[in-house]
Amino acid sequence: MIHIQHNKAIKNYTTFGVPVKAKKFTQFSDIQELKEVASHLEVLDEEMLILGGGSNLLFTKDFDGVVILNQIKGIEIISDNNEEVLIKSGAGENWHEFVLYCVDNDYAGIENLSLIPGSVGASPMQNIGAYGVEIKDVFHSLEAFHIETGEVRVFNKEECNFGYRESVFKNIYKDQYVITSVTFLLTKKPIFKTSYGAIKAELEAMGVEELSIKAISNAVINIRSSKLPNPKEIGNAGSFFKNPVIKKEQFDELIKNFPEIANYPLPNGDVKIAAGWLIDSLGWKGKRIGDYGVHKNQALVLVNYGNSSGGDIYNLSTDILNSVKQTFGIELEREVNIF
Ligand code: FAD
Ligand code: NAP
């Protein structure tokens, strides 16, 4: 039986922690309850927001609609042999706890994605990625509830059309489906991915002699804990901007003026630019305005030190976008979902 709350403060349901209210708030823990929500709330007539861990969104004002918290739990082994395991997780499971469950059971593939906040159900939304691994590398399928018809559809990898922090659920199917479970194909014969970022150095500092997925997971946890603000202490939603990808010709011009620019050539010839480098080089890193600003260790992360509004943080992001555009001619894109 679902319960609908009105005028609910939702600050504590998001990692940015800005003070906003939702006109209506409810939650579901299985498909039956989700069906009830869909029919009882006449959601089709109201703006609706499916909420996971609230770690990739920013509310700039009170939400004039229904916020619906996904609480579908449960982890199930679908098949298991000497080589690989097919594992299904309810969308409302916590992502990092799911990673630890897999690591502890020697199911390899997502150890590099340790300590990413949020829910399993949101992981395909933007094809979460870190340290050279993306969800698409281990994704098998997902189940999603179509809000308009109430039908549950299975999406395979191709149908999700994953890209860099992208999927169909962020564009053509935006606000049409609720992801209810995700199934991953993990391996028992790990291929260790340690070449990215500071992983190797951290493994060395930890004194690791025999590589394991547990060691990699711990290394990633250590690096992230030292570099990124903990949302329980300082409000944030991780990287506020995506890394821009530009054409080789544009890059060749840019590097003449900015020879230090942090860049990563992609297999198709385009070049990925580290957005953090662009923002840092313009002096934004560590800048604080009142109760909000840019994190001191990570220029991509905008932070709420306690009492700032979503509007203030959004305006700061616009100022950063404009200054990057003015100096480098590059249009940054926000990664965080704005409401
Ligand atoms: P929410 O913020 O609750 O929702 C995000 C969007 O997805 C919203 O539009 C929401 O409506 C929609 N949504 C959520 N669940 C569902 C569902 N079940 N069905 C349909 N739509 C849904 N991201 C990375 O990719 N890599 C990182 O390394 C990374 N590091 C981070 C570090 C920090 C400190 C923080 C705060 C964030 C980081 N993020 C990172 C961003 C964020 O953690 C991920 O995007 C995460 O997957 C968001 O999950 P969530 O459950 O909190 O989603
Ligand atoms: P980092 O290791 O300091 O690297 C800076 C940037 O350079 C990253 O954005 C990364 O791109 C890119 N990069 C580094 N090494 C690379 C390589 N070998 N090949 C290609 N690109 C490379 O980054 P960080 O800030 O500490 O973050 C570490 C990882 O966690 C990154 O993968 C980052 O995406 C992820 N992260 C994501 C969020 C989020 O909210 N989305 C928040 C924190 C951290 P990519 O971003 O494309 O990987």
Side-chain angles (χ1 to χ4, degrees):
M1 181 78 174
I2 56 157
H3 172 59
I4 296 158
Q5 294 171 269
H6 294 260
N7 226 8
K8 163 113 174 155
I10 50 172
K11 173 178 165 148
N12 294 338
Y13 288 89
T14 73
T15 57
F16 250 126
V18 295
V20 282
K21 287 182 174 167
K23 190 167 89 178
K24 292 179 188 166
F25 181 93
T26 190
Q27 49 190 299
F28 59 90
S29 48
D30 56 36
I31 304 259
Q32 200 44 46
E33 285 186 352
L34 178 53
K35 280 187 175 156
E36 247 185 274
V37 172
S39 56
H40 278 74
L41 284 173
E42 296 167 5
V43 284
L44 299 178
D45 291 339
E46 295 212 66
E47 207 184 336
M48 186 206 66
L49 165 62
I50 303 298
L51 185 65
S55 65
N56 201 21
L57 44 82
L58 175 66
F59 287 104
T60 55
K61 52 184 180 312
D62 287 343
F63 190 75
D64 188 25
V66 200
V67 170
I68 303 169
L69 181 64
N70 186 340
Q71 294 274 50
I72 298 181
K73 304 283 187 201
I75 295 174
E76 188 190 342
I77 304 294
I78 305 291
S79 66
D80 185 353
N81 61 35
N82 287 338
E83 307 245 315
E84 53 193 23
V85 58
L86 202 55
I87 183 168
K88 176 176 173 177
S89 169
E93 288 286 346
N94 174 276
W95 172 258
H96 179 58
E97 282 167 22
F98 176 67
V99 171
L100 292 184
Y101 174 89
C102 293
V103 168
D104 289 344
N105 283 286
D106 287 326
Y107 305 152
I110 50 176
E111 54 280 359
N112 291 45
L113 302 178
S114 297
L115 213 61
I116 297 181
S119 59
V120 169
S123 66
M125 288 293 296
Q126 69 157 12
N127 177 28
I128 57 167
Y131 298 101
V133 174
E134 292 176 315
I135 217 62
K136 75 171 170 51
D137 303 333
V138 290
F139 180 90
H140 177 271
S141 58
L142 63 74
E143 286 173 336
F145 176 90
H146 190 235
I147 296 160
E148 203 176 313
T149 61
E151 278 167 20
V152 175
R153 172 173 167 188
V154 177
F155 285 79
N156 65 25
K157 197 193 298 198
E158 287 66 39
E159 288 166 325
C160 292
N161 200 13
F162 290 120
Y164 172 65
R165 305 287 191 267
E166 273 297 340
S167 76
V168 285
F169 302 102
K170 263 188 111 171
N171 43 67
I172 59 166
Y173 292 141
K174 192 169 162 41
D175 297 333
Q176 293 180 36
Y177 284 94
V178 181
I179 296 168
T180 54
S181 73
V182 188
T183 301
F184 301 92
L185 183 61
L186 302 179
T187 175
K188 295 186 176 173
K189 307 212 161 134
I191 300 165
F192 302 121
K193 294 191 177 152
T194 60
S195 64
Y196 206 96
I199 296 188
K200 263 196 193 122
E202 180 59 29
L203 287 165
E204 255 175 59
M206 287 161 58
V208 170
E209 281 168 9
E210 200 181 332
L211 210 46
S212 64
I213 58 170
K214 186 74 185 164
I216 293 179
S217 171
N218 285 337
V220 169
I221 291 170
N222 291 348
I223 302 166
R224 296 183 72 106
S225 307
S226 69
K227 224 173 154 181
L228 289 167
N230 178 350
K232 287 190 179 126
E233 289 155 14
I234 303 177
N236 76 91
S239 302
F240 205 93
F241 305 99
K242 294 183 188 180
N243 287 326
V245 173
I246 61 173
K247 292 282 166 213
K248 173 91 169 59
E249 301 75 56
Q250 187 183 358
F251 175 71
D252 289 343
E253 284 305 308
L254 209 55
I255 196 131
K256 285 182 197 158
N257 293 327
F258 306 100
E260 309 278 292
I261 198 163
N263 67 92
Y264 299 91
L266 300 177
N268 69 353
D270 292 348
V271 182
K272 180 176 79 175
I273 307 291
W277 185 92
L278 301 175
I279 298 167
D280 190 6
S281 71
L282 293 170
W284 287 104
K285 188 151 115 181
K287 196 172 175 69
R288 179 169 177 163
I289 309 127
D291 236 6
Y292 62 99
V294 181
H295 192 246
K296 63 179 171 37
N297 297 336
Q298 175 46 283
L300 275 185
V301 179
L302 304 192
V303 290
N304 171 16
Y305 290 104
N307 291 309
S308 101
S309 73
D312 283 341
I313 295 165
Y314 182 80
N315 290 341
L316 171 63
S317 76
T318 304
D319 291 344
I320 293 173
L321 285 177
N322 290 340
S323 83
V324 167
K325 171 86 179 153
Q326 203 173 11
T327 305
F328 301 105
I330 291 177
E331 200 120 16
L332 289 184
E333 206 184 315
R334 293 181 183 88
E335 179 178 309
V336 170
N337 298 280
I338 309 292
F339 294 97

